């Protein structure tokens, strides 16, 4: 089946056309036929598209609207010259990344009116993302009215966290009244990477398997996975908690924020911008949110770039230690996301000094591993460490197929 995977932001649409079915997924034979992005670039949306064996396409389409973006995606996918399908009827299902599923959605679901209500109910918790995800649904519904659509939630994988992991040390009534708790995000990525680790270790279905997955992109989070289930993760009520990220501060003493708000006379919106947009690697370095830029600047002697990278790696190291404790040991760790997949230096600095926990890197393997699934720890006893390129779109396509395919005996 050909599945259109949509990831809608407030002014962007990422799409992929993926061919998969249950047998292809089992044997890892699924294929990404084409991928693209429609993104607002200063008032005008631009389409970037590529497919194997075709010319890449770049095209301006006027002001960004989800409906127009989906229309454009379908037009390029069916284009006689650069497209990969003759007609949009070839699309058997649409899978959406939905950011917030709250406590209601514990796995992926076929979208119907009740599910739409549920996603709407979570808008208060994800005011930028969930409305955009719904826009994507309506846009696809208009273009492909008879095609089933599936929602795959960023939060769903973490629904297995125990209460002691998801509750804050706040009055319990705040959880009861407003649902203040830790949800965790990046769940689709952590689930994919944990699944790959279990397969690489040939321990699929082992309820005692102890994994730590590190998704390190612009947003970053770590996850403790026991027997295939998330038991803790570093993001919380929002994606702000946990690791130091490109522009987000991660863990912070809330009293420090109150102090800054008083001193700088900041309102809630400004305080939120400070923590979400001006902090993290960017705020610490004063230079960039981009890890590659910082590594290059550090090479040239930029001390603040070094500091930002040090804080990033140290925070992650602390989480790895904490999750080793939560899991009662570690069998394997995976590094994923743009930074995790491509930066031997960050991986090395993160795991430095963790030999006592059985975590060691093979310098040659680590130095050479870039963007490919590979073991980077030495052979022998101790935990194994891997680079595992994540593939959230593939996970969404697989979930979509399994929900829309008729059940077979
Ligand atoms: P997003 O979260 O937006 O999907 P990515 O997963 O693509 O982001 O990760 C982006 C980050 O990966 C940036 O900080 C970028 O600098 C970093 N990155 C990409 N390639 C490298 C590299 N070769 N070395 C170090 N960092 C890299």
């Amino acid at each position: 089946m050909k599945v259109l995977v949509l990831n809608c932001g407030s002014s962007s649409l990422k799409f992929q056309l993926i061919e998969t079915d249950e047998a292809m997924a089992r044997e890892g034979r699924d294929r990404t036929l084409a991928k693209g992005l429609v993104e607002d670039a200063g008032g005008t949306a631009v389409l970037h598209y590529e497919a194997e064996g075709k010319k890449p396409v770049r095209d301006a389409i006027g002001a960004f609207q989800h409906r127009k973006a989906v229309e454009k995606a379908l037009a390029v996918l069916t284009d006689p010259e650069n497209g990969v399908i003759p007609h949009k009827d070839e699309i058997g299902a649409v899978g959406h990344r939905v950011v917030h599923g709250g406590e209601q959605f514990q796995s992926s679901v076929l979208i119907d009116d009740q599910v739409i209500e549920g996603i709407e109910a979570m808008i208060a918790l994800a005011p930028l993302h969930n409305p955009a995800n719904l826009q994507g649904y309506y846009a696809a519904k208009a273009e492909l009215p008879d095609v089933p659509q599936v929602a795959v939630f960023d939060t769903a994988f973490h629904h297995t966290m125990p209460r002691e992991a998801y509750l804050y040390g706040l009055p319990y009534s705040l959880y009861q009244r407003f649902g203040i708790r830790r949800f965790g995000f990046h769940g689709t990525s952590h689930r994919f990477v944990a699944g790959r680790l279990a397969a690489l270790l040939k321990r699929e279905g082992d309820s005692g398997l102890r994994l730590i997955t590190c998704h390190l992109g612009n947003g970053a989070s770590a996850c403790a996975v026991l027997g295939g289930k998330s038991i803790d993760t570093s993001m919380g009520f929002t994606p702000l908690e946990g690791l130091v990220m490109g522009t987000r501060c991660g863990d912070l003493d809330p009293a420090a924020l109150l102090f800054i708000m008083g001193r700088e006379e900041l309102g809630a919106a400004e305080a939120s911008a400070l923590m979400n947009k001006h902090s993290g690697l960017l705020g610490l370095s004063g230079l960039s949110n981009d890890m590659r830029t910082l590594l290059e600047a550090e090479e040239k002697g930029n001390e603040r770039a070094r500091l930002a990278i040090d804080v990033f790696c140290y925070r992650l190291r602390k989480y790895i230690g904490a999750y080793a404790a939560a899991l009662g040991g570690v069998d394997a760790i995976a590094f994923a996301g743009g930074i995790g997949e491509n930066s031997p230096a960050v991986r090395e600095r993160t795991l430095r000094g963790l030999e006592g926990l059985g975590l060691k890197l093979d310098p040659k393997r680590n130095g050479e591993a870039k963007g490919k699934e590979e073991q980077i720890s030495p052979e022998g006893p101790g935990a194994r460490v891997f680079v595992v390129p994540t593939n959230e779109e593939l996970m969404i396509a697989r979930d979509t197929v399994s929900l829309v395919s008729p059940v077979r005996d």
Side-chain angles (χ1 to χ4, degrees):
M1 180 185 288
K2 295 187 180 88
V3 180
L4 178 64
V5 175
L6 298 183
N7 179 354
C8 287
S10 52
S11 54
S12 70
L13 166 80
K14 286 187 193 150
F15 63 94
Q16 290 197 9
L17 189 68
I18 297 180
E19 185 167 23
T20 181
D21 59 31
E22 280 167 32
M24 290 171 93
R26 215 174 24 250
E27 293 152 22
R29 287 189 292 107
D30 355 45
R31 287 196 311 146
T32 300
L33 303 174
K35 52 173 90 171
L37 163 71
V38 182
E39 190 177 33
D40 180 56
T44 303
V46 178
L47 164 83
H48 303 265
Y49 166 89
E50 53 188 77
E52 215 179 284
K54 310 278 176 182
K55 271 207 320 269
V57 176
R58 194 175 181 285
D59 201 2
I61 63 161
F64 183 87
Q65 275 176 358
H66 291 94
R67 180 73 195 272
K68 260 202 318 205
V70 170
E71 231 172 74
K72 187 72 191 171
L74 290 169
V76 72
L77 287 167
T78 53
D79 178 65
E81 201 178 330
N82 297 307
V84 287
I85 46 172
H87 196 273
K88 63 185 182 182
D89 289 352
E90 293 238 339
I91 296 169
V94 180
H96 295 267
R97 172 194 184 214
V98 180
V99 165
H100 217 308
E103 288 192 331
Q104 182 181 347
F105 296 110
Q106 309 196 342
S107 61
S108 304
V109 285
L110 262 172
I111 304 181
D112 59 15
D113 290 347
Q114 241 185 323
V115 170
I116 291 172
E117 272 176 35
I119 297 173
E120 280 172 349
M122 248 62 80
I123 287 177
L125 300 183
L128 292 181
H129 291 101
N130 275 26
N133 301 148
L134 283 172
Q135 288 289 325
Y137 165 77
Y138 290 122
K141 181 91 185 152
E143 289 289 323
L144 304 161
D146 300 321
V147 172
Q149 302 200 48
V150 166
V152 179
F153 299 93
D154 261 23
T155 46
F157 183 55
H158 304 299
H159 88 92
T160 43
M161 283 196 285
R163 284 192 308 179
E164 61 266 31
Y166 73 66
L167 283 176
Y168 291 112
L170 286 167
Y172 190 69
S173 60
L174 291 173
Y175 168 60
Q176 292 172 306
R177 287 163 64 208
F178 306 127
I180 306 296
R181 53 159 285 177
R182 309 183 61 253
F183 291 103
F185 298 86
H186 283 154
T188 310
S189 175
H190 288 297
R191 178 158 60 104
F192 179 85
V193 173
R196 287 305 310 147
L197 274 184
L200 288 163
L201 297 169
K202 301 200 168 42
R203 288 180 65 181
E204 287 150 305
D206 179 343
S207 62
L209 183 61
R210 301 160 302 178
L211 306 175
I212 299 175
T213 51
C214 307
H215 177 111
L216 312 177
N218 279 312
S221 66
C223 185
V225 184
L226 180 62
K229 296 190 165 113
S230 168
I231 61 156
D232 205 348
T233 191
S234 57
M235 285 178 169
F237 181 64
T238 74
L240 188 56
E241 190 178 339
L243 304 180
V244 170
M245 311 181 206
T247 59
R248 297 186 198 132
C249 57
D251 292 336
L252 175 74
D253 181 345
L257 181 69
L258 296 175
F259 185 87
I260 298 163
M261 288 174 77
R263 281 293 161 101
E264 300 264 30
E265 297 180 8
L266 302 183
E270 291 160 313
S272 170
L274 170 71
M275 295 184 296
N276 280 292
K277 299 204 161 86
H278 307 295
S279 296
L281 294 174
L282 174 66
L284 280 163
S285 68
L287 177 67
S288 173
N289 64 320
D290 189 285
M291 183 58 90
R292 208 172 355 186
T293 306
L294 295 180
L295 287 161
E296 284 162 11
E298 181 187 38
E299 283 275 296
K300 294 184 189 127
N302 185 315
E303 274 310 311
R304 289 268 297 282
R306 177 186 307 281
L307 177 67
I309 302 165
D310 281 344
V311 176
F312 180 94
C313 295
Y314 177 71
R315 178 78 55 88
L316 177 57
R317 189 187 316 150
K318 274 211 300 197
Y319 267 94
I320 289 172
Y323 289 165
L327 291 161
V330 193
D331 296 308
I333 293 197
F335 286 94
I339 301 171
E341 290 163 27
N342 295 303
S343 176
V346 168
R347 298 189 296 249
E348 193 276 321
R349 277 154 79 163
T350 298
L351 294 187
R352 198 180 284 169
L354 292 186
E355 294 81 5
L357 293 178
L359 293 166
K360 240 193 274 169
L361 287 178
D362 178 307
K364 185 161 182 294
R365 285 178 176 180
N366 181 46
E368 286 168 4
K370 278 208 177 155
K372 278 210 321 264
E373 197 169 88
E374 248 168 296
Q375 180 173 332
I376 54 174
S377 53
E379 298 304 325
R384 290 167 73 186
V385 185
F386 291 87
V387 168
V388 178
T390 191
N391 196 338
E392 290 159 281
E393 290 79 9
L394 183 56
M395 198 83 240
I396 292 171
R398 287 176 177 174
D399 276 14
T400 302
V401 158
S402 73
L403 282 164
V404 303
S405 298
V407 179
R408 282 183 293 267
D409 297 340

